[in-house]
Amino acid sequence: QVQLVESGGGLVHAGGSLRLSCVASGRSLSGYAMGWFRQAPGKEREFVAAISGIGGGSYYADSVKGRFTISRDNSRRTVYLQMNSLKPEDTAVYCCAAQTYPGSVTGRENYDYWGQGTQVTVSS
C-alpha cells in the first residue's frame, strides 16, 4: 500500500508563490510517475502536472505552463509543485497521485493512489 500526504497549501495574494509537497510512505515510488491534480468547487478534477519515474520528464497543463514546476526527490520520497505567479483561478484543492502502471500521465483515471489534498486559495 501507498499513502500520500500533501502539505504547503494556504492563502496567497495574486502574483505570489507557494510550494506544495507530497510525501509517500509504504512502497517505493521512485520508478513510477507522480502527478498533481486540482479540483475547484463545482468543477471536475483536472490535470496540473506530472513527472515520470525514469528520466524525470515533466508534463504540464497549458494553464500552468511557465508558472508551475514539478520536481521529485526520490531519496526523500517527495514530489514538489512550485507554483509562481499565482492567479485567482488557481484556487482549488490540490492532490498528488501515483501511477504504478503504464498509461497517460495526464489522465486521472490512470492513477491508482491519491492523497487527501491541500487547499490553495489565491486572492485577487
Side-chain angles (χ1 to χ4, degrees):
Q1 286 295 324
V2 173
Q3 292 79 43
L4 302 175
V5 179
E6 304 94 336
S7 62
L11 173 64
V12 64
H13 291 299
S17 299
L18 285 173
R19 187 175 82 154
L20 306 183
S21 299
C22 171
V23 179
S25 60
R27 62 189 280 195
S28 173
L29 298 177
S30 60
Y32 302 116
M34 298 292 294
W36 284 96
F37 290 76
R38 67 187 182 186
Q39 187 167 18
K43 295 187 177 181
E44 291 192 353
R45 184 172 292 182
E46 65 174 0
F47 169 75
V48 175
I51 186 166
S52 62
I54 300 174
S58 55
Y59 311 83
Y60 299 93
D62 288 342
S63 59
V64 306
K65 202 171 292 183
R67 300 187 298 122
F68 292 11
T69 303
I70 189 170
S71 61
R72 67 191 298 164
D73 183 343
N74 288 331
S75 67
R76 297 177 183 268
R77 296 192 174 190
T78 302
V79 177
Y80 303 98
L81 185 68
Q82 177 66 45
M83 306 187 296
N84 299 327
S85 301
L86 283 161
K87 304 175 181 180
E89 50 264 43
D90 294 319
T91 295
V93 174
Y94 284 71
C95 296
C96 71
Q99 182 188 88
T100 63
Y101 57 90
S104 169
V105 296
T106 63
R108 62 179 186 266
E109 67 278 3
N110 295 325
Y111 288 80
D112 43 351
Y113 294 102
W114 292 85
Q116 291 297 309
T118 185
Q119 176 71 47
V120 171
T121 304
V122 185
S123 63
S124 58

